[in-house]
């Protein structure tokens, strides 16, 4: 799977190597600053300007959890999390 985010808060997921679109969903109302798969690729984690971290099921786009940290979330923050 490959995931990408846009400046309007939308996340899109594609199947690789066929490049077939899998799903697209609105993750935030503003820019998605960080997007990363968990090591097993079963979950997708996003961080945004809204100081939130959200966890998604990447094949369906279903939100699994959300937490607020009160700080601007970037990719370095997500990669340090266990």
């Amino acid at each position: 799977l490959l995931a990408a985010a846009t400046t309007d808060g939308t996340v899109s997921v594609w199947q690789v190597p066929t490049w077939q679109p899998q799903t697209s969903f609105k993750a935030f109302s503003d820019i998605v600053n960080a997007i990363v798969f968990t090591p097993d690729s079963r979950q997708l984690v996003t961080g945004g300007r809204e100081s939130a971290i959200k966890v998604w099921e990447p094949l369906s786009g279903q939100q699994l959890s959300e937490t607020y940290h009160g700080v601007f979330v970037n990719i370095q923050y997500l990669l340090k999390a266990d």
Side-chain angles (χ1 to χ4, degrees), residues 4-8 10 15-18 26-27 30-33 35 41-43 45 49 54-55 59-60 76 78:
T6 63
T7 56
D8 72 352
T10 301
Q15 291 284 348
V16 176
T18 64
K26 191 78 167 177
D30 200 354
I31 295 172
V32 178
N33 295 323
I35 184 168
S41 298
R42 296 179 65 193
Q43 296 176 336
V45 183
R49 283 191 180 175
K54 298 181 183 182
V55 180
L59 297 178
S60 68
Q76 289 84 9
L78 290 183

Side-chain angles (χ1 to χ4, degrees), residues 2-48:
L2 172 75
T6 63
T7 56
D8 72 352
T10 301
V11 170
S12 297
V13 179
W14 295 269
Q15 291 284 348
V16 176
T18 64
W19 298 106
Q20 294 298 313
Q22 180 65 44
T23 189
S24 184
F25 53 91
K26 191 78 167 177
F28 292 97
S29 61
D30 200 354
I31 295 172
V32 178
N33 295 323
I35 184 168
V36 64
F37 282 99
T38 56
D40 62 6
S41 298
R42 296 179 65 193
Q43 296 176 336
L44 183 65
V45 183
T46 59

Side-chain angles (χ1 to χ4, degrees), residues 41-79:
S41 298
R42 296 179 65 193
Q43 296 176 336
L44 183 65
V45 183
T46 59
R49 283 191 180 175
E50 299 166 15
S51 301
I53 295 173
K54 298 181 183 182
V55 180
W56 308 88
E57 197 291 315
L59 297 178
S60 68
Q62 177 184 2
Q63 185 176 328
L64 303 175
S65 66
E66 177 177 6
T67 186
Y68 288 90
H69 286 272
V71 296
F72 184 82
V73 177
N74 61 31
I75 192 69
Q76 289 84 9
Y77 185 87
L78 290 183
L79 291 174

